[in-house]
Amino acid sequence: DGGITQSPKYLFRKEGQNVTLSCEQNLNHDAMYWYRQDPGQGLRLIYYSQIVNDFQKGDIAEGYSVSREKKESFPLTVTSAQKNPTAFYLCASRRAGEVSNQPQHFGDGTRLSIL
Amino acid sequence: AQSVTQLDSQVPVFEEAPVELRCNYSSSVSVYLFWYVQYPNQGLQLLLKYLSGSTLVKGINGFEAEFNKSQTSFHLRKPSVHISDTAEYFCAVIPMDSNYQLIWGAGTKLIIKP
């Protein structure tokens, strides 16, 4: 079955370390997204990518970086510049282009904690 | 600016009782509307969507929602809830402008009391 795989499910980081969260999809979707979820705050967009080798900042991009070298993959790096990285991170994808009303499909998330 | 407001952060309801989760939006252009459900420690799953046509849409797990353009609302309803409906529910819209990005509500936690 097609879907979105996020790994690992739980991740621990020491202060000052960069860490990369993986997101892979086999849905042949063009667009991919990273969200951060904190208790009681809903979803906040970190970065998104509409096509390979292109991505845009979302509402809270500071302290994060991404790459989109392959259609299937959209890894997120949480850098040491992100002062409060403890959160639940969700990756999503959707068809894009001419089909503008398609919903997003989500992975099961990665919970990042600071040691 | 476009926004989505979910009026209740938590909704407690007894098992087998009906429930309504409220969602209002603000947009200068027409929108597509969505409801998602998130079970604990999981990603979001699409419950239902309104793209066009009949304003009453039915989704999975017995949920339905009605689009009211004049009131800019898209409330989610279920006639009889089950303990397994305990989750957080998110309303989202896609404005029909050049951006086509989802705008999310803050979520409503549905708490089912036995």
Side-chain angles (χ1 to χ4, degrees), chain A residues 1-33:
Chain A
D1 287 342
I4 301 175
T5 301
Q6 289 188 244
S7 62
K9 191 163 180 66
Y10 299 96
L11 189 57
F12 298 92
R13 187 193 103 168
K14 292 182 179 179
E15 286 201 37
Q17 278 185 337
N18 292 355
V19 63
T20 297
L21 283 61
S22 170
C23 178
E24 304 278 333
Q25 55 99 359
N26 60 4
L27 298 166
N28 198 32
H29 285 172
D30 300 295
M32 297 186 74
Y33 305 81

CSV table of all heavy atoms in Angstrom, one decimal, chain A residues 1-33:
chain,number,residue,atom,x,y,z
A,1,ASP,N,0.8,-1.2,0.0
A,1,ASP,CA,0.0,0.0,0.0
A,1,ASP,C,0.9,1.2,0.0
A,1,ASP,O,1.9,1.3,0.6
A,1,ASP,CB,-0.9,0.0,1.2
A,1,ASP,CG,-2.0,-1.0,1.2
A,1,ASP,OD1,-2.3,-1.4,0.0
A,1,ASP,OD2,-2.6,-1.3,2.2
A,2,GLY,N,0.4,2.3,-0.7
A,2,GLY,CA,1.2,3.5,-0.7
A,2,GLY,C,1.0,4.3,0.6
A,2,GLY,O,-0.1,4.2,1.2
A,3,GLY,N,2.0,5.1,0.9
A,3,GLY,CA,1.9,5.9,2.1
A,3,GLY,C,3.1,6.7,2.3
A,3,GLY,O,4.0,6.8,1.5
A,4,ILE,N,3.1,7.3,3.5
A,4,ILE,CA,4.2,8.1,4.0
A,4,ILE,C,4.9,7.5,5.2
A,4,ILE,O,4.2,7.2,6.1
A,4,ILE,CB,3.7,9.5,4.3
A,4,ILE,CG1,3.1,10.2,3.1
A,4,ILE,CG2,4.9,10.4,4.8
A,4,ILE,CD1,2.4,11.5,3.4
A,5,THR,N,6.2,7.4,5.1
A,5,THR,CA,6.9,6.7,6.2
A,5,THR,C,7.8,7.8,6.9
A,5,THR,O,8.7,8.4,6.2
A,5,THR,CB,7.8,5.6,5.7
A,5,THR,OG1,6.9,4.6,5.1
A,5,THR,CG2,8.5,4.9,6.9
A,6,GLN,N,7.6,8.0,8.1
A,6,GLN,CA,8.5,8.8,8.9
A,6,GLN,C,9.3,8.0,9.9
A,6,GLN,O,8.8,7.1,10.5
A,6,GLN,CB,7.7,9.9,9.7
A,6,GLN,CG,7.0,10.9,8.9
A,6,GLN,CD,6.4,12.0,9.7
A,6,GLN,OE1,5.2,12.2,9.7
A,6,GLN,NE2,7.2,12.7,10.5
A,7,SER,N,10.6,8.3,9.9
A,7,SER,CA,11.4,7.6,10.9
A,7,SER,C,12.5,8.5,11.5
A,7,SER,O,12.9,9.5,10.8
A,7,SER,CB,12.1,6.4,10.2
A,7,SER,OG,12.9,6.8,9.1
A,8,PRO,N,12.9,8.2,12.7
A,8,PRO,CA,12.3,7.2,13.6
A,8,PRO,C,11.0,7.8,14.2
A,8,PRO,O,10.7,8.9,14.1
A,8,PRO,CB,13.4,7.1,14.7
A,8,PRO,CG,14.1,8.4,14.7
A,8,PRO,CD,14.0,9.0,13.3
A,9,LYS,N,10.3,7.0,15.0
A,9,LYS,CA,9.1,7.4,15.7
A,9,LYS,C,9.4,8.3,16.9
A,9,LYS,O,8.7,9.3,17.2
A,9,LYS,CB,8.3,6.2,16.1
A,9,LYS,CG,6.9,6.6,16.5
A,9,LYS,CD,5.9,5.5,16.6
A,9,LYS,CE,4.5,5.9,17.0
A,9,LYS,NZ,3.9,6.8,16.0
A,10,TYR,N,10.5,7.9,17.6
A,10,TYR,CA,11.0,8.7,18.7
A,10,TYR,C,12.5,9.1,18.5
A,10,TYR,O,13.2,8.2,18.1
A,10,TYR,CB,10.8,8.0,20.0
A,10,TYR,CG,9.4,7.6,20.3
A,10,TYR,CD1,8.8,6.4,20.0
A,10,TYR,CD2,8.5,8.5,20.9
A,10,TYR,CE1,7.5,6.1,20.2
A,10,TYR,CE2,7.2,8.2,21.2
A,10,TYR,CZ,6.7,7.0,20.9
A,10,TYR,OH,5.4,6.7,21.1
A,11,LEU,N,12.8,10.3,18.8
A,11,LEU,CA,14.2,10.7,18.6
A,11,LEU,C,14.6,11.6,19.8
A,11,LEU,O,13.9,12.5,20.2
A,11,LEU,CB,14.3,11.5,17.3
A,11,LEU,CG,15.7,11.9,16.8
A,11,LEU,CD1,16.5,10.6,16.6
A,11,LEU,CD2,15.5,12.6,15.4
A,12,PHE,N,15.9,11.4,20.3
A,12,PHE,CA,16.4,12.2,21.4
A,12,PHE,C,17.6,12.9,20.9
A,12,PHE,O,18.4,12.3,20.1
A,12,PHE,CB,16.7,11.2,22.5
A,12,PHE,CG,15.5,10.5,23.1
A,12,PHE,CD1,15.1,9.3,22.6
A,12,PHE,CD2,14.6,11.1,24.0
A,12,PHE,CE1,14.0,8.6,23.1
A,12,PHE,CE2,13.5,10.5,24.5
A,12,PHE,CZ,13.2,9.2,24.0
A,13,ARG,N,17.8,14.1,21.3
A,13,ARG,CA,18.9,14.9,20.9
A,13,ARG,C,19.5,15.6,22.1
A,13,ARG,O,18.8,16.1,23.0
A,13,ARG,CB,18.3,16.0,19.9
A,13,ARG,CG,19.4,16.8,19.2
A,13,ARG,CD,18.8,18.0,18.5
A,13,ARG,NE,19.0,19.2,19.3
A,13,ARG,CZ,18.8,20.5,18.8
A,13,ARG,NH1,18.3,20.6,17.6
A,13,ARG,NH2,19.0,21.5,19.6
A,14,LYS,N,20.8,15.7,22.0
A,14,LYS,CA,21.5,16.5,23.0
A,14,LYS,C,21.5,17.9,22.6
A,14,LYS,O,21.5,18.2,21.4
A,14,LYS,CB,22.9,16.0,23.2
A,14,LYS,CG,23.0,14.6,23.8
A,14,LYS,CD,24.5,14.2,24.0
A,14,LYS,CE,24.6,12.9,24.7
A,14,LYS,NZ,26.0,12.5,24.8
A,15,GLU,N,21.6,18.8,23.5
A,15,GLU,CA,21.6,20.2,23.1
A,15,GLU,C,22.9,20.5,22.3
A,15,GLU,O,23.9,20.0,22.6
A,15,GLU,CB,21.6,21.1,24.4
A,15,GLU,CG,20.3,21.2,25.0
A,15,GLU,CD,20.1,22.4,26.0
A,15,GLU,OE1,20.6,23.4,25.6
A,15,GLU,OE2,19.5,22.2,27.0
A,16,GLY,N,22.7,21.3,21.2
A,16,GLY,CA,23.9,21.7,20.4
A,16,GLY,C,24.1,20.7,19.2
A,16,GLY,O,24.9,21.0,18.4
A,17,GLN,N,23.3,19.7,19.1
A,17,GLN,CA,23.4,18.7,18.0
A,17,GLN,C,22.4,19.0,17.0
A,17,GLN,O,21.2,19.4,17.3
A,17,GLN,CB,23.1,17.3,18.6
A,17,GLN,CG,24.3,16.6,19.2
A,17,GLN,CD,24.0,15.2,19.6
A,17,GLN,OE1,22.8,14.8,19.7
A,17,GLN,NE2,25.0,14.4,19.7
A,18,ASN,N,22.8,18.8,15.7
A,18,ASN,CA,21.8,18.7,14.6
A,18,ASN,C,21.2,17.3,14.5
A,18,ASN,O,21.9,16.3,14.9
A,18,ASN,CB,22.5,19.0,13.3
A,18,ASN,CG,23.0,20.5,13.2
A,18,ASN,OD1,22.7,21.3,14.1
A,18,ASN,ND2,23.7,20.8,12.1
A,19,VAL,N,20.0,17.2,14.1
A,19,VAL,CA,19.4,15.9,13.9
A,19,VAL,C,18.5,15.9,12.7
A,19,VAL,O,17.9,17.0,12.4
A,19,VAL,CB,18.6,15.5,15.2
A,19,VAL,CG1,17.4,16.5,15.4
A,19,VAL,CG2,18.1,14.1,15.1
A,20,THR,N,18.5,14.8,11.9
A,20,THR,CA,17.7,14.8,10.7
A,20,THR,C,16.5,13.8,10.8
A,20,THR,O,16.7,12.6,11.2
A,20,THR,CB,18.6,14.4,9.5
A,20,THR,OG1,19.6,15.4,9.3
A,20,THR,CG2,17.7,14.3,8.2
A,21,LEU,N,15.3,14.3,10.5
A,21,LEU,CA,14.1,13.4,10.5
A,21,LEU,C,13.9,13.0,9.0
A,21,LEU,O,13.9,13.8,8.1
A,21,LEU,CB,13.0,14.2,11.0
A,21,LEU,CG,12.8,14.4,12.5
A,21,LEU,CD1,14.0,15.2,13.1
A,21,LEU,CD2,11.6,15.1,12.9
A,22,SER,N,13.5,11.7,8.9
A,22,SER,CA,13.3,11.2,7.6
A,22,SER,C,11.9,11.2,7.2
A,22,SER,O,11.0,10.9,8.0
A,22,SER,CB,13.9,9.8,7.5
A,22,SER,OG,13.5,9.1,6.3
A,23,CYS,N,11.6,11.5,5.9
A,23,CYS,CA,10.2,11.4,5.4
A,23,CYS,C,10.3,10.8,4.0
A,23,CYS,O,10.9,11.4,3.1
A,23,CYS,CB,9.5,12.7,5.4
A,23,CYS,SG,7.8,12.6,4.7
A,24,GLU,N,9.6,9.7,3.7
A,24,GLU,CA,9.6,9.0,2.4
A,24,GLU,C,8.2,8.7,2.0
A,24,GLU,O,7.4,8.3,2.8
A,24,GLU,CB,10.4,7.7,2.4
A,24,GLU,CG,11.9,7.8,2.9
A,24,GLU,CD,12.8,8.3,1.8
A,24,GLU,OE1,12.5,8.1,0.6
A,24,GLU,OE2,13.8,8.9,2.1
A,25,GLN,N,7.8,9.0,0.7
A,25,GLN,CA,6.5,8.7,0.3
A,25,GLN,C,6.6,8.0,-1.0
A,25,GLN,O,7.4,8.2,-1.9
A,25,GLN,CB,5.6,10.0,0.1
A,25,GLN,CG,6.2,11.1,-0.7
A,25,GLN,CD,5.7,11.2,-2.1
A,25,GLN,OE1,4.8,10.3,-2.5
A,25,GLN,NE2,6.2,12.1,-2.9
A,26,ASN,N,5.6,7.0,-1.2
A,26,ASN,CA,5.5,6.3,-2.4
A,26,ASN,C,4.2,6.5,-3.1
A,26,ASN,O,3.7,5.6,-3.8
A,26,ASN,CB,5.8,4.8,-2.2
A,26,ASN,CG,4.8,4.1,-1.2
A,26,ASN,OD1,3.9,4.8,-0.8
A,26,ASN,ND2,5.1,2.9,-0.9
A,27,LEU,N,3.6,7.7,-2.9
A,27,LEU,CA,2.3,8.0,-3.5
A,27,LEU,C,2.5,8.8,-4.8
A,27,LEU,O,1.5,9.2,-5.4
A,27,LEU,CB,1.6,8.9,-2.5
A,27,LEU,CG,1.3,8.2,-1.1
A,27,LEU,CD1,0.8,9.3,-0.1
A,27,LEU,CD2,0.2,7.2,-1.3
A,28,ASN,N,3.7,9.0,-5.2
A,28,ASN,CA,4.0,9.8,-6.4
A,28,ASN,C,3.4,11.2,-6.3
A,28,ASN,O,3.0,11.8,-7.3
A,28,ASN,CB,3.4,9.1,-7.7
A,28,ASN,CG,4.1,9.6,-9.0
A,28,ASN,OD1,5.2,10.0,-9.0
A,28,ASN,ND2,3.3,9.6,-10.0
A,29,HIS,N,3.4,11.7,-5.1
A,29,HIS,CA,2.9,13.1,-4.9
A,29,HIS,C,4.0,14.1,-5.2
A,29,HIS,O,5.2,13.9,-4.9
A,29,HIS,CB,2.5,13.3,-3.4
A,29,HIS,CG,1.2,12.6,-3.2
A,29,HIS,ND1,0.6,12.5,-1.9
A,29,HIS,CD2,0.2,12.1,-4.0
A,29,HIS,CE1,-0.5,12.0,-1.9
A,29,HIS,NE2,-0.8,11.6,-3.2
A,30,ASP,N,3.6,15.2,-5.8
A,30,ASP,CA,4.6,16.3,-6.1
A,30,ASP,C,5.0,17.1,-4.9
A,30,ASP,O,6.1,17.5,-4.7
A,30,ASP,CB,4.0,17.2,-7.2
A,30,ASP,CG,3.6,16.5,-8.4
A,30,ASP,OD1,4.5,15.9,-9.1
A,30,ASP,OD2,2.4,16.4,-8.7
A,31,ALA,N,4.0,17.4,-4.1
A,31,ALA,CA,4.3,18.4,-3.0
A,31,ALA,C,4.5,17.6,-1.6
A,31,ALA,O,3.8,16.6,-1.4
A,31,ALA,CB,3.1,19.4,-2.8
A,32,MET,N,5.4,18.1,-0.8
A,32,MET,CA,5.6,17.6,0.5
A,32,MET,C,5.8,18.7,1.5
A,32,MET,O,6.2,19.8,1.1
A,32,MET,CB,6.9,16.7,0.5
A,32,MET,CG,6.7,15.5,-0.4
A,32,MET,SD,8.1,14.3,-0.3
A,32,MET,CE,7.8,13.5,1.3
A,33,TYR,N,5.4,18.4,2.7
A,33,TYR,CA,5.3,19.4,3.8
A,33,TYR,C,5.9,18.9,5.1
A,33,TYR,O,5.8,17.7,5.4
A,33,TYR,CB,3.9,19.8,4.0
A,33,TYR,CG,3.1,20.2,2.8
A,33,TYR,CD1,2.6,19.2,1.9
A,33,TYR,CD2,2.9,21.5,2.5
A,33,TYR,CE1,1.9,19.6,0.8
A,33,TYR,CE2,2.2,21.9,1.4
A,33,TYR,CZ,1.7,21.0,0.5
A,33,TYR,OH,1.0,21.4,-0.6
